[in-house]
Amino acid sequence: MAHIEFLDETMRDGQQSLWGMRMQAGMALPVAPLIDKTGFRVIDLAGSSLMEVMIKHARENPWEGLDLLVDAMPRTRIRGGMRSNASVTFGVTPDALMDCWMRQLNEHGVRSFWIYDVLFNIDKMHRLAKVAKEYGSEVAGAVMFALSPVHTDEFFAEKAGQLAASPDVDTILLYDTAGVLEKERLKTLVPAIKARIGDKPLEFHANNILGLSGKAYVDIIDLGVTILHTASRPMANGPSVPSTESVVRNIELLGHTHDLDTSLFQPVADHFRAVGKAAGFLVDQFNEYDVLSTEHQIPGGMTGTLKAQLAQYNMTDRLGDVLEETAVVRRELGYPGMATPFSQLVGTLAVLNVVTGKRYSVIPDEVIQYAAGFYGQTVAPIKPNVLDKIMSSSRAKEVLANPPEQPTIEELRKRYGTRNDDELILRALVPEHDLKAMWAAGPVKRDYPLLSSPELDEARRLMKVANSPVVQIRSEAMNLTLRRKGA
């Protein structure tokens, strides 16, 4: 029997997949001490996209919020995620700014990192790992799984071996964004990876998009993997990872052991369920099996983005067409792994192909950058006819004439007018007007008002179906007036 360690994804992948990264610090702070006491190996928390969303949509200083949460969880290592060559943009971020980002996360108490690159720029991943080691932090080198004719066991094993060759990489993280790994493939893939990484531990993260990942977690234990990524039940499943509750129950039934205090599961779940419902976010999700998902491999959170893009053209009924087109575009672009930024690039290009009715008539700059190799070597060649269309597009000449720059940290500090590296990173993330609005909003709130009740839920449902600008409800115990904005 095996002893299983758990990494908590409630406040990172859970809220990223279900809440669109809109988890404010005060939404989690009341139960952060309970999560800290539960006994997780690591708590995943920080990511660059989360910081951008906090500034733009919540007007919350992400450094201040991070400090509050880190201070509330002193017992457990806190993890941050980093793409090797970019912060939040779909372009390429200078190496000097990425190194600065790594140092500042460490300065704020983050002591575990997962570093990924869908195109496996191993040298950049190793460089960031070396920066993390300046602080003695743990580093997980991520192997981002994908299904395609070129993503073979040998391909992934080679990349895992290259990552593990660095003394600065402590663990290897097998990360299945589309949740497509099943027992048959795991039985060949995991031994191939383990043969290349020596005695370094292997972590497993699988988003439960197809409803298969809970079974994959059980199967992978038999193959020697003992670090699993889970989330509190309201923040789990669907596009998120399997729930801690279900995985713990399964491993207990199979005779495996763990160090988690299961008595703390329910109060944490109750809290996030209440906050999610009050804020109008998804909780308690489950997905059905969909064969098409194995072709397009769009991460769960990306589906909402595609729907929003189609809504701009009043074409929400074409989502099925977009998903099928995404699978075709992915093949034509050389099977990029469907994680940031390529899930967004492939999905957006598929939307444009469907909306315009003429494939590759509109090509975003980032697709040109990808084809030009600005992100790194493509996994497989781009189809020649598609490459011709990309490189002959109206924007190609200008994009190709402006490859990614590599300014020094001093040049960046001068450019953004600050020697405070926390501020430098924020200024590089978002426009100045968003920063001003964030600073004007004041300190980070330490809790979240649970404005939810059966009565309020009923009022919300009523306003969704009512056509009138004003709705009045009168009874013996209540006199309620609901008025739409501007009415």
Side-chain angles (χ1 to χ4, degrees), residues 150-172:
V150 295
H151 286 98
T152 63
D153 290 354
E154 177 57 29
F155 173 89
F156 290 119
E158 179 185 358
K159 301 304 182 185
Q162 292 173 0
L163 284 170
S166 169
D168 300 319
V169 174
D170 302 290
T171 69
I172 299 300

Side-chain angles (χ1 to χ4, degrees), residues 20-99:
M21 295 179 286
R22 282 167 166 76
M23 186 195 79
Q24 300 169 47
M27 293 176 168
L29 197 58
V31 292
L34 295 184
I35 300 174
D36 186 42
K37 294 175 183 176
T38 302
F40 291 105
R41 182 181 190 274
V42 174
I43 296 171
D44 200 1
L45 179 64
S48 57
S49 296
L50 168 64
M51 299 182 84
E52 180 193 30
V53 171
M54 285 299 94
I55 296 169
K56 287 186 174 181
H57 298 281
R59 302 308 188 195
E60 180 171 293
N61 187 325
W63 290 122
E64 184 184 347
L66 177 61
D67 288 343
L68 288 170
L69 289 168
V70 169
D71 289 345
M73 299 183 288
R75 303 182 182 195
T76 315
R77 261 184 310 205
I78 304 301
R79 176 168 285 189
M82 298 192 73
R83 197 167 107 223
S84 78
N85 59 1
S87 52
V88 299
T89 68
F90 295 148
V92 177
T93 299
D95 291 347
L97 189 60
M98 294 305 300
D99 292 350

Side-chain angles (χ1 to χ4, degrees), residues 281-295:
F281 296 148
L282 296 176
V283 292
D284 297 312
Q285 294 298 290
F286 292 93
N287 281 359
E288 295 179 329
Y289 185 81
D290 181 1
V291 172
L292 181 59
S293 293
T294 66
E295 295 293 326

Side-chain angles (χ1 to χ4, degrees), residues 115 147 192 194-195 229 292 372:
I115 303 172
L147 285 176
K194 288 178 72 69
H229 294 201
L292 181 59

Side-chain angles (χ1 to χ4, degrees), residues 363-369 372 374 390-405:
I363 299 175
D365 288 359
E366 292 81 7
V367 174
I368 301 170
Q369 293 172 339
F374 289 180
I390 293 172
M391 292 308 183
S392 62
S393 62
S394 59
R395 290 278 303 153
K397 185 175 181 180
E398 182 176 348
V399 171
L400 295 175
N402 293 279
E405 58 174 350

